[in-house]
Structures are given as C-alpha cells and as structure tokens.
Amino acid sequence: DARVTQTPRHKVTEMGQEVTMRCQPILGHNTVFWYRQTMMQGLELLAYFRNRAPLDDSGMPKDRFSAEMPDATLATLKIQPSEPRDSAVYFCASGQGQGATDTQYFGPGTRLTVL
Amino acid sequence: AQSVTQLDSHVSVSEGTPVLLRCNYSSSYSPSLFWYVQHPNKGLQLLLKYTSAATLVKGINGFEAEFKKSETSFHLTKPSAHMSDAAEYFCVVSDQRGFQKLVFGTGTRLLVSP
C-alpha cells in the first residue's frame, strides 16, 4: 500500500530555530505539493514541484521558507528562522502529474509548534 | 479565480440517517471538483472527484456527489451515516487549464451520534 511519508510527525521548537520537514512521495509520482493547515487560514498551498522543478511557490513566505527536491524520493521544507505564527500542520502530497484532474495523495502531516 | 463555499461549518446526524454536506463553487472555466475527508490527526483522503464525465459521481464508503452546473453546486451525500464517518470534509476545486492548484473550502465537520 503505497503512501506518502512525512518526518517528523511532531516538532516543537523555539522561535529563531531552523526547522526542516521531510517528505517521501509515492514512488513514480512526479508532482509534489506542500500545504499548510491552520485554524484561521485553513489549507493553503505553499509550493508545487513537477519533475523536481519548482513551478509555483507563490504561497510561501520567501524570506524564511524554502522548498527543495534534492532527488525524486525526497522533498524538504525549511523554515529559518522560525516564528510562532508558523505553528501549523504541514502536509505534503504527491500525484502522477495528470493535470487538473489528478488525485493528490496526502501524507499524515508534520505538526509544528514554535514557542 | 476559482473558489468553493461550504455552506455549513458543522453538520450533526444520527447514525443510520442520511448525510448532506453542501458545497457551491465558482470557476471561470470547466472545473474539476473533489471531496476530501480528514479524520482527526490524519492526512486528507480522496472521497471522490468530478472531471466532466458523469455528473453523478460515486466515491468510497458509500458517498456520492452530484455536479449541477445550473446551481454551481457539488453536494456530498450518503444514504446512511456510520459512526466512522465522523470527520472533517473538504470540498475542493481545481482549474482544468493545466496546473493543478487545488483551492480548498473551509471544511464541514460531520458529527455522528449513536
């Protein structure tokens, strides 16, 4: 049963610290998405990769957030420096790149708390 | 720009009674529409999707949704609720022009009582 994995599942850190979240997409999927979920804003798209290339990161605060795909089996989302307002659940999703009708498969999320 | 509006933030039903979760969409182009479910502390799982084929779409766990262009609606229904259906449900729209940017509704929390 193929699934998206994310690590860590929970992260508590102090303001100013660097946070790195990792995602392993489903093998063979060529699109990867990063989302953030908060009570106030709901689910927001942060970044989108196709074939490891970033195609859209307009939803991401550029000054502190960065997203990369070092290889096809790993996507990372970094926050440096972290702030309390970054506290949220961060989801990674992957898809087969079939366009607008594609199904996105979500990971279990990383719950981040910044004190 | 596309958007979706989920008309109810909470819906409460009794086990065995029908479920109706309402969603209206706005899109300049022919939309793809999805319903995702999120159980507590879990990721999102696809229930069903509409992609301009049949207007009545059947999904997993007995759920179905009907695309009504004249009403710009895509309501989710189930004939008989189970306790395990208690979760958050998201209506989602995607622009069919290519890049699959999903726009999520605010969610409807379904509560199922015995």
Side-chain angles (χ1 to χ4, degrees), chain A residues 1-41:
Chain A
D1 184 23
R3 58 185 66 191
V4 176
T5 58
Q6 291 186 247
T7 56
R9 292 293 310 277
H10 302 272
K11 176 72 175 179
V12 180
T13 189
E14 294 190 346
M15 183 173 62
Q17 297 298 305
E18 177 178 303
V19 174
T20 298
M21 291 169 272
R22 293 177 175 80
C23 166
Q24 182 173 14
I26 292 173
L27 189 65
H29 283 188
N30 67 349
T31 56
V32 172
F33 305 81
W34 283 104
Y35 292 90
R36 175 170 63 184
Q37 185 178 37
T38 63
M39 289 293 292
M40 294 300 295
Q41 300 296 327

Side-chain angles (χ1 to χ4, degrees), chain A residues 41-89:
Chain A
Q41 300 296 327
L43 274 154
E44 306 171 282
L45 177 68
L46 297 176
Y48 163 56
F49 290 78
R50 179 189 288 271
N51 295 323
R52 296 176 55 201
L55 293 192
D56 188 333
D57 61 2
S58 58
M60 204 163 63
K62 298 294 190 303
D63 55 339
R64 299 183 300 108
F65 284 60
S66 62
E68 297 179 344
M69 281 200 75
D71 60 61
T73 64
L74 177 65
T76 62
L77 180 66
K78 290 186 181 180
I79 309 175
Q80 169 62 23
S82 58
E83 297 181 0
R85 58 179 168 154
D86 301 328
S87 297
V89 181

